[in-house]
Structure formats: C-alpha cells, structure tokens
Amino acid sequence: MKRNIEIMSYYKGDRQKYEKVHEIAVSFSYFLDREDIYKEILKKNVKGAHSDQIKNILLKKARELGFKSEKQGLFRNYSVNYRPDYFRPLGKSGIILEVERGRTVNNNNDLLDFWKCHICKEANHLILIVPKHVSHTRNIYKKVKERLAFFFEKKNYTNVETVHIIGY
C-alpha cells in the first residue's frame, strides 16, 4: 500500500543505538498517514495557514507518546526565548519535536530547529514534521532532507544524534 507520508532518518553511527527514537518517529509517521488524519492535514495545509493548525492535529498523539507541548526552560542558559513545539525526555537526553508549514525552507526554520536541538542541553534528537509542498514552495521535504543530511557526514557531526524528517 502506498503511503502519503514519507520519513527519512539520519543517525550519528549505528541506528540500533537509537531504536526508541526511531520507534517514536515511525509511530508519528503512521499516525499522520491514517486516512482521517491525513485528510485533516490536507484541509489545514493551505495558503495562509499557520503551523499551529497542523500541531493541533498532532497534540493527542504527541501526548500519548510522552511529549509535552512548548516545554519552557530548555534554553535557560542562553539569551533566547525559544520553546520547542513539543519535548519528551528520553533517558539522559530527550527529543525535540518541531512542526513546520510554509516558512520551512524560505525562512530556514528547518535549520533553526536543528540549531535549537544542537544548543539544548536536554535533547540530542529531533523529529521534524514538514510539508512536502505548500502553495508557494515546492519540494520542501526534499530540500530539508538534502540540507540536514550534511550534518550526518562524519566531518560535520554535531551533538544532535538523530534527525527524523516526516513529510506530509
């Protein structure tokens, strides 16, 4: 059966080391691929829509998987007032979950999300949910995959251990 949702995962080293993060990301991708959920996403992925409309669709699943919405205090050591869309502790680390829509590539929000994960002392994993296309930008998912892949070449490693990009 053809899926509407795509997922690309990048790992620093062996994937088996990150099995729990992988399971969570795949669980999100299958949730988004449910016919009722995917139809709801398509209704909200229109010109002028905000990523909050997509986030609201995910909220129940995110909570079910142990995420908290807009966790505060993760960036207290920096002079920035960032909050992730969702955060979930995982052992000695954690997962930041970010949901993007129209400004993903044009405003470099994908790179900002990666950077937030990089500077966050409590997270080494990023799940990034992005549209495949919006009315004014094509191939968003493809561009995000290409851009973030560079960070998983050994010469470019950061402290971000995994990134899972889910395209809706």
Side-chain angles (χ1 to χ4, degrees):
M1 180 173 91
K2 184 177 180 330
R3 296 186 65 205
N4 295 305
I5 300 298
E6 296 182 48
I7 184 169
M8 172 57 88
S9 302
Y10 297 107
Y11 304 93
K12 191 160 71 171
D14 184 18
R15 185 195 123 186
Q16 290 175 327
K17 179 178 172 185
Y18 307 109
E19 196 58 41
K20 184 63 178 173
V21 181
H22 178 79
E23 288 173 12
I24 291 168
V26 169
S27 179
F28 263 112
S29 77
Y30 277 100
F31 171 77
L32 295 174
D33 209 34
R34 281 184 16 199
E35 187 175 344
D36 59 325
I37 300 298
Y38 189 68
K39 283 181 180 177
E40 195 172 342
I41 289 170
L42 289 179
K43 284 187 221 171
K44 304 294 184 188
N45 188 26
V46 295
K47 187 173 182 150
H50 192 272
S51 63
D52 285 348
Q53 294 174 306
I54 305 296
K55 281 190 270 188
N56 289 337
I57 298 169
L58 297 176
L59 186 58
K60 183 178 178 186
K61 183 65 172 178
R63 287 184 177 149
E64 179 185 302
L65 291 171
F67 286 87
K68 292 189 177 14
S69 181
E70 297 194 359
K71 171 114 169 71
Q72 296 188 16
L74 292 176
F75 301 96
R76 64 187 165 279
N77 296 329
Y78 298 94
S79 61
V80 294
N81 191 25
Y82 290 133
R83 291 185 313 256
D85 290 337
Y86 302 98
F87 173 79
R88 180 192 192 275
L90 182 68
K92 294 180 182 177
S93 183
I95 305 168
I96 288 178
L97 171 65
E98 293 285 351
V99 180
E100 296 298 341
R101 213 197 73 70
R103 302 179 318 177
T104 307
V105 175
N106 292 346
N107 286 8
N108 296 315
N109 282 0
D110 56 336
L111 298 176
L112 174 63
D113 294 336
F114 186 90
W115 179 73
K116 286 192 303 190
C117 189
H118 172 65
I119 68 169
C120 182
K121 301 251 185 268
E122 290 89 355
N124 296 95
H125 309 281
L126 174 64
I127 297 174
L128 183 56
I129 299 176
V130 302
K132 292 182 198 175
H133 312 283
V134 293
S135 61
H136 56 285
T137 309
R138 309 284 308 150
N139 299 315
I140 294 172
Y141 173 72
K142 180 181 177 202
K143 289 175 187 172
V144 171
K145 288 188 317 181
E146 290 169 354
R147 287 161 50 132
L148 295 186
F150 289 110
F151 292 108
F152 291 87
E153 294 175 8
K154 200 167 195 159
K155 65 183 178 191
N156 299 326
Y157 276 176
T158 69
N159 61 326
V160 178
E161 296 180 15
T162 68
V163 170
H164 300 271
I165 305 161
I166 300 172
Y168 62 86

PDB file of all heavy atoms in Angstrom, residues 60-83:
ATOM      1  N   LYS A  60      -2.801  15.172  20.439  1.00  0.00           N
ATOM      2  CA  LYS A  60      -3.197  13.960  21.167  1.00  0.00           C
ATOM      3  C   LYS A  60      -2.132  12.867  21.029  1.00  0.00           C
ATOM      4  O   LYS A  60      -1.758  12.223  22.014  1.00  0.00           O
ATOM      5  CB  LYS A  60      -4.550  13.465  20.659  1.00  0.00           C
ATOM      6  CG  LYS A  60      -5.058  12.258  21.406  1.00  0.00           C
ATOM      7  CD  LYS A  60      -6.417  11.826  20.900  1.00  0.00           C
ATOM      8  CE  LYS A  60      -6.849  10.577  21.646  1.00  0.00           C
ATOM      9  NZ  LYS A  60      -8.082  10.017  21.124  1.00  0.00           N
ATOM     10  N   LYS A  61      -1.632  12.652  19.810  1.00  0.00           N
ATOM     11  CA  LYS A  61      -0.613  11.625  19.585  1.00  0.00           C
ATOM     12  C   LYS A  61       0.682  11.994  20.313  1.00  0.00           C
ATOM     13  O   LYS A  61       1.334  11.124  20.900  1.00  0.00           O
ATOM     14  CB  LYS A  61      -0.357  11.441  18.080  1.00  0.00           C
ATOM     15  CG  LYS A  61       0.624  10.346  17.765  1.00  0.00           C
ATOM     16  CD  LYS A  61       0.080   8.990  18.164  1.00  0.00           C
ATOM     17  CE  LYS A  61       0.951   7.856  17.692  1.00  0.00           C
ATOM     18  NZ  LYS A  61       0.460   6.551  18.125  1.00  0.00           N
ATOM     19  N   ALA A  62       1.051  13.262  20.272  1.00  0.00           N
ATOM     20  CA  ALA A  62       2.272  13.704  20.952  1.00  0.00           C
ATOM     21  C   ALA A  62       2.176  13.423  22.450  1.00  0.00           C
ATOM     22  O   ALA A  62       3.112  12.879  23.053  1.00  0.00           O
ATOM     23  CB  ALA A  62       2.513  15.192  20.698  1.00  0.00           C
ATOM     24  N   ARG A  63       1.061  13.760  23.046  1.00  0.00           N
ATOM     25  CA  ARG A  63       0.877  13.492  24.489  1.00  0.00           C
ATOM     26  C   ARG A  63       0.892  11.999  24.778  1.00  0.00           C
ATOM     27  O   ARG A  63       1.473  11.551  25.760  1.00  0.00           O
ATOM     28  CB  ARG A  63      -0.423  14.122  24.969  1.00  0.00           C
ATOM     29  CG  ARG A  63      -0.328  15.618  25.072  1.00  0.00           C
ATOM     30  CD  ARG A  63      -1.588  16.208  25.640  1.00  0.00           C
ATOM     31  NE  ARG A  63      -1.445  17.649  25.793  1.00  0.00           N
ATOM     32  CZ  ARG A  63      -2.434  18.499  25.691  1.00  0.00           C
ATOM     33  NH1 ARG A  63      -3.673  18.072  25.462  1.00  0.00           N
ATOM     34  NH2 ARG A  63      -2.229  19.787  25.832  1.00  0.00           N
ATOM     35  N   GLU A  64       0.248  11.228  23.902  1.00  0.00           N
ATOM     36  CA  GLU A  64       0.217   9.765  24.052  1.00  0.00           C
ATOM     37  C   GLU A  64       1.637   9.187  24.069  1.00  0.00           C
ATOM     38  O   GLU A  64       1.913   8.216  24.775  1.00  0.00           O
ATOM     39  CB  GLU A  64      -0.583   9.180  22.891  1.00  0.00           C
ATOM     40  CG  GLU A  64      -0.703   7.692  22.861  1.00  0.00           C
ATOM     41  CD  GLU A  64      -1.420   7.245  21.582  1.00  0.00           C
ATOM     42  OE1 GLU A  64      -2.557   7.684  21.350  1.00  0.00           O
ATOM     43  OE2 GLU A  64      -0.819   6.441  20.826  1.00  0.00           O
ATOM     44  N   LEU A  65       2.541   9.799  23.301  1.00  0.00           N
ATOM     45  CA  LEU A  65       3.928   9.326  23.224  1.00  0.00           C
ATOM     46  C   LEU A  65       4.842   9.988  24.258  1.00  0.00           C
ATOM     47  O   LEU A  65       6.061   9.814  24.210  1.00  0.00           O
ATOM     48  CB  LEU A  65       4.474   9.545  21.814  1.00  0.00           C
ATOM     49  CG  LEU A  65       3.837   8.662  20.738  1.00  0.00           C
ATOM     50  CD1 LEU A  65       4.270   9.097  19.353  1.00  0.00           C
ATOM     51  CD2 LEU A  65       4.193   7.200  20.968  1.00  0.00           C
ATOM     52  N   GLY A  66       4.267  10.745  25.187  1.00  0.00           N
ATOM     53  CA  GLY A  66       5.049  11.312  26.284  1.00  0.00           C
ATOM     54  C   GLY A  66       5.610  12.695  26.045  1.00  0.00           C
ATOM     55  O   GLY A  66       6.446  13.174  26.828  1.00  0.00           O
ATOM     56  N   PHE A  67       5.165  13.385  25.009  1.00  0.00           N
ATOM     57  CA  PHE A  67       5.647  14.738  24.733  1.00  0.00           C
ATOM     58  C   PHE A  67       4.830  15.766  25.505  1.00  0.00           C
ATOM     59  O   PHE A  67       3.640  15.573  25.730  1.00  0.00           O
ATOM     60  CB  PHE A  67       5.540  15.060  23.234  1.00  0.00           C
ATOM     61  CG  PHE A  67       6.579  14.377  22.398  1.00  0.00           C
ATOM     62  CD1 PHE A  67       6.372  13.102  21.914  1.00  0.00           C
ATOM     63  CD2 PHE A  67       7.775  15.020  22.091  1.00  0.00           C
ATOM     64  CE1 PHE A  67       7.323  12.467  21.135  1.00  0.00           C
ATOM     65  CE2 PHE A  67       8.728  14.384  21.313  1.00  0.00           C
ATOM     66  CZ  PHE A  67       8.509  13.110  20.837  1.00  0.00           C
ATOM     67  N   LYS A  68       5.497  16.838  25.880  1.00  0.00           N
ATOM     68  CA  LYS A  68       4.834  17.984  26.497  1.00  0.00           C
ATOM     69  C   LYS A  68       4.901  19.141  25.514  1.00  0.00           C
ATOM     70  O   LYS A  68       5.930  19.370  24.879  1.00  0.00           O
ATOM     71  CB  LYS A  68       5.513  18.358  27.801  1.00  0.00           C
ATOM     72  CG  LYS A  68       5.342  17.315  28.886  1.00  0.00           C
ATOM     73  CD  LYS A  68       5.832  17.825  30.211  1.00  0.00           C
ATOM     74  CE  LYS A  68       5.637  16.902  31.372  1.00  0.00           C
ATOM     75  NZ  LYS A  68       5.306  15.572  31.204  1.00  0.00           N
ATOM     76  N   SER A  69       3.808  19.875  25.418  1.00  0.00           N
ATOM     77  CA  SER A  69       3.731  20.996  24.487  1.00  0.00           C
ATOM     78  C   SER A  69       4.518  22.197  25.006  1.00  0.00           C
ATOM     79  O   SER A  69       4.392  22.565  26.178  1.00  0.00           O
ATOM     80  CB  SER A  69       2.265  21.370  24.281  1.00  0.00           C
ATOM     81  OG  SER A  69       2.155  22.433  23.376  1.00  0.00           O
ATOM     82  N   GLU A  70       5.326  22.795  24.135  1.00  0.00           N
ATOM     83  CA  GLU A  70       6.073  24.022  24.393  1.00  0.00           C
ATOM     84  C   GLU A  70       6.731  24.042  25.775  1.00  0.00           C
ATOM     85  O   GLU A  70       6.527  24.956  26.565  1.00  0.00           O
ATOM     86  CB  GLU A  70       5.166  25.235  24.189  1.00  0.00           C
ATOM     87  CG  GLU A  70       4.688  25.335  22.758  1.00  0.00           C
ATOM     88  CD  GLU A  70       4.081  26.663  22.413  1.00  0.00           C
ATOM     89  OE1 GLU A  70       3.998  27.546  23.276  1.00  0.00           O
ATOM     90  OE2 GLU A  70       3.706  26.813  21.246  1.00  0.00           O
ATOM     91  N   LYS A  71       7.524  23.041  26.053  1.00  0.00           N
ATOM     92  CA  LYS A  71       8.238  22.945  27.326  1.00  0.00           C
ATOM     93  C   LYS A  71       9.111  24.168  27.522  1.00  0.00           C
ATOM     94  O   LYS A  71       9.920  24.509  26.671  1.00  0.00           O
ATOM     95  CB  LYS A  71       9.103  21.678  27.332  1.00  0.00           C
ATOM     96  CG  LYS A  71      10.054  21.582  28.499  1.00  0.00           C
ATOM     97  CD  LYS A  71       9.707  20.449  29.397  1.00  0.00           C
ATOM     98  CE  LYS A  71      10.762  20.130  30.425  1.00  0.00           C
ATOM     99  NZ  LYS A  71      10.927  21.063  31.468  1.00  0.00           N
ATOM    100  N   GLN A  72       8.945  24.826  28.636  1.00  0.00           N
ATOM    101  CA  GLN A  72       9.730  26.017  28.925  1.00  0.00           C
ATOM    102  C   GLN A  72      10.975  25.649  29.718  1.00  0.00           C
ATOM    103  O   GLN A  72      11.035  24.621  30.375  1.00  0.00           O
ATOM    104  CB  GLN A  72       8.888  27.028  29.685  1.00  0.00           C
ATOM    105  CG  GLN A  72       7.728  27.526  28.846  1.00  0.00           C
ATOM    106  CD  GLN A  72       6.990  28.665  29.491  1.00  0.00           C
ATOM    107  OE1 GLN A  72       7.484  29.288  30.403  1.00  0.00           O
ATOM    108  NE2 GLN A  72       5.806  28.948  28.994  1.00  0.00           N
ATOM    109  N   GLY A  73      11.983  26.505  29.654  1.00  0.00           N
ATOM    110  CA  GLY A  73      13.187  26.330  30.448  1.00  0.00           C
ATOM    111  C   GLY A  73      14.298  25.549  29.775  1.00  0.00           C
ATOM    112  O   GLY A  73      15.390  25.445  30.320  1.00  0.00           O
ATOM    113  N   LEU A  74      14.063  24.988  28.601  1.00  0.00           N
ATOM    114  CA  LEU A  74      15.095  24.197  27.939  1.00  0.00           C
ATOM    115  C   LEU A  74      16.260  25.052  27.450  1.00  0.00           C
ATOM    116  O   LEU A  74      17.364  24.557  27.291  1.00  0.00           O
ATOM    117  CB  LEU A  74      14.506  23.417  26.755  1.00  0.00           C
ATOM    118  CG  LEU A  74      13.534  22.300  27.097  1.00  0.00           C
ATOM    119  CD1 LEU A  74      12.961  21.694  25.832  1.00  0.00           C
ATOM    120  CD2 LEU A  74      14.207  21.228  27.938  1.00  0.00           C
ATOM    121  N   PHE A  75      16.029  26.324  27.234  1.00  0.00           N
ATOM    122  CA  PHE A  75      17.070  27.209  26.713  1.00  0.00           C
ATOM    123  C   PHE A  75      17.438  28.293  27.728  1.00  0.00           C
ATOM    124  O   PHE A  75      17.912  29.359  27.369  1.00  0.00           O
ATOM    125  CB  PHE A  75      16.608  27.828  25.385  1.00  0.00           C
ATOM    126  CG  PHE A  75      16.299  26.792  24.351  1.00  0.00           C
ATOM    127  CD1 PHE A  75      15.009  26.345  24.151  1.00  0.00           C
ATOM    128  CD2 PHE A  75      17.318  26.227  23.596  1.00  0.00           C
ATOM    129  CE1 PHE A  75      14.723  25.356  23.213  1.00  0.00           C
ATOM    130  CE2 PHE A  75      17.051  25.242  22.659  1.00  0.00           C
ATOM    131  CZ  PHE A  75      15.759  24.812  22.467  1.00  0.00           C
ATOM    132  N   ARG A  76      17.266  28.004  28.999  1.00  0.00           N
ATOM    133  CA  ARG A  76      17.508  28.986  30.051  1.00  0.00           C
ATOM    134  C   ARG A  76      18.964  29.442  30.127  1.00  0.00           C
ATOM    135  O   ARG A  76      19.246  30.505  30.645  1.00  0.00           O
ATOM    136  CB  ARG A  76      17.026  28.459  31.392  1.00  0.00           C
ATOM    137  CG  ARG A  76      17.773  27.229  31.886  1.00  0.00           C
ATOM    138  CD  ARG A  76      17.151  26.635  33.143  1.00  0.00           C
ATOM    139  NE  ARG A  76      17.647  25.297  33.406  1.00  0.00           N
ATOM    140  CZ  ARG A  76      17.209  24.192  32.814  1.00  0.00           C
ATOM    141  NH1 ARG A  76      16.263  24.251  31.926  1.00  0.00           N
ATOM    142  NH2 ARG A  76      17.728  23.020  33.114  1.00  0.00           N
ATOM    143  N   ASN A  77      19.894  28.653  29.617  1.00  0.00           N
ATOM    144  CA  ASN A  77      21.315  29.012  29.655  1.00  0.00           C
ATOM    145  C   ASN A  77      21.711  29.952  28.518  1.00  0.00           C
ATOM    146  O   ASN A  77      22.879  30.289  28.390  1.00  0.00           O
ATOM    147  CB  ASN A  77      22.184  27.754  29.606  1.00  0.00           C
ATOM    148  CG  ASN A  77      21.979  26.886  30.822  1.00  0.00           C
ATOM    149  OD1 ASN A  77      21.690  27.366  31.909  1.00  0.00           O
ATOM    150  ND2 ASN A  77      22.099  25.575  30.644  1.00  0.00           N
ATOM    151  N   TYR A  78      20.746  30.334  27.691  1.00  0.00           N
ATOM    152  CA  TYR A  78      21.020  31.187  26.541  1.00  0.00           C
ATOM    153  C   TYR A  78      20.134  32.418  26.595  1.00  0.00           C
ATOM    154  O   TYR A  78      19.086  32.405  27.234  1.00  0.00           O
ATOM    155  CB  TYR A  78      20.755  30.420  25.230  1.00  0.00           C
ATOM    156  CG  TYR A  78      21.640  29.216  25.077  1.00  0.00           C
ATOM    157  CD1 TYR A  78      21.202  27.961  25.484  1.00  0.00           C
ATOM    158  CD2 TYR A  78      22.918  29.328  24.550  1.00  0.00           C
ATOM    159  CE1 TYR A  78      22.022  26.848  25.360  1.00  0.00           C
ATOM    160  CE2 TYR A  78      23.740  28.228  24.427  1.00  0.00           C
ATOM    161  CZ  TYR A  78      23.285  26.990  24.831  1.00  0.00           C
ATOM    162  OH  TYR A  78      24.090  25.896  24.714  1.00  0.00           O
ATOM    163  N   SER A  79      20.547  33.445  25.918  1.00  0.00           N
ATOM    164  CA  SER A  79      19.764  34.688  25.893  1.00  0.00           C
ATOM    165  C   SER A  79      18.729  34.651  24.769  1.00  0.00           C
ATOM    166  O   SER A  79      18.543  35.624  24.052  1.00  0.00           O
ATOM    167  CB  SER A  79      20.692  35.895  25.729  1.00  0.00           C
ATOM    168  OG  SER A  79      21.393  35.791  24.510  1.00  0.00           O
ATOM    169  N   VAL A  80      18.060  33.512  24.626  1.00  0.00           N
ATOM    170  CA  VAL A  80      16.997  33.360  23.643  1.00  0.00           C
ATOM    171  C   VAL A  80      15.752  32.865  24.359  1.00  0.00           C
ATOM    172  O   VAL A  80      15.836  32.217  25.404  1.00  0.00           O
ATOM    173  CB  VAL A  80      17.376  32.376  22.506  1.00  0.00           C
ATOM    174  CG1 VAL A  80      18.515  32.917  21.681  1.00  0.00           C
ATOM    175  CG2 VAL A  80      17.722  31.000  23.053  1.00  0.00           C
ATOM    176  N   ASN A  81      14.613  33.172  23.835  1.00  0.00           N
ATOM    177  CA  ASN A  81      13.363  32.762  24.461  1.00  0.00           C
ATOM    178  C   ASN A  81      12.670  31.706  23.604  1.00  0.00           C
ATOM    179  O   ASN A  81      11.529  31.859  23.210  1.00  0.00           O
ATOM    180  CB  ASN A  81      12.445  33.980  24.650  1.00  0.00           C
ATOM    181  CG  ASN A  81      11.263  33.648  25.526  1.00  0.00           C
ATOM    182  OD1 ASN A  81      11.316  32.738  26.350  1.00  0.00           O
ATOM    183  ND2 ASN A  81      10.175  34.376  25.343  1.00  0.00           N
ATOM    184  N   TYR A  82      13.385  30.631  23.297  1.00  0.00           N
ATOM    185  CA  TYR A  82      12.836  29.574  22.456  1.00  0.00           C
ATOM    186  C   TYR A  82      12.114  28.539  23.284  1.00  0.00           C
ATOM    187  O   TYR A  82      12.458  28.290  24.442  1.00  0.00           O
ATOM    188  CB  TYR A  82      13.941  28.861  21.669  1.00  0.00           C
ATOM    189  CG  TYR A  82      14.564  29.691  20.596  1.00  0.00           C
ATOM    190  CD1 TYR A  82      15.939  29.759  20.468  1.00  0.00           C
ATOM    191  CD2 TYR A  82      13.789  30.401  19.691  1.00  0.00           C
ATOM    192  CE1 TYR A  82      16.530  30.516  19.474  1.00  0.00           C
ATOM    193  CE2 TYR A  82      14.364  31.154  18.696  1.00  0.00           C
ATOM    194  CZ  TYR A  82      15.730  31.212  18.592  1.00  0.00           C
ATOM    195  OH  TYR A  82      16.305  31.950  17.600  1.00  0.00           O
ATOM    196  N   ARG A  83      11.124  27.946  22.663  1.00  0.00           N
ATOM    197  CA  ARG A  83      10.445  26.774  23.214  1.00  0.00           C
ATOM    198  C   ARG A  83      10.240  25.832  22.040  1.00  0.00           C
ATOM    199  O   ARG A  83       9.868  26.269  20.958  1.00  0.00           O
ATOM    200  CB  ARG A  83       9.088  27.136  23.802  1.00  0.00           C
ATOM    201  CG  ARG A  83       9.145  27.959  25.052  1.00  0.00           C
ATOM    202  CD  ARG A  83       7.749  28.164  25.624  1.00  0.00           C
ATOM    203  NE  ARG A  83       6.784  28.575  24.619  1.00  0.00           N
ATOM    204  CZ  ARG A  83       6.327  29.809  24.471  1.00  0.00           C
ATOM    205  NH1 ARG A  83       6.742  30.765  25.243  1.00  0.00           N
ATOM    206  NH2 ARG A  83       5.438  30.085  23.532  1.00  0.00           N
TER     207      ARG A  83
END
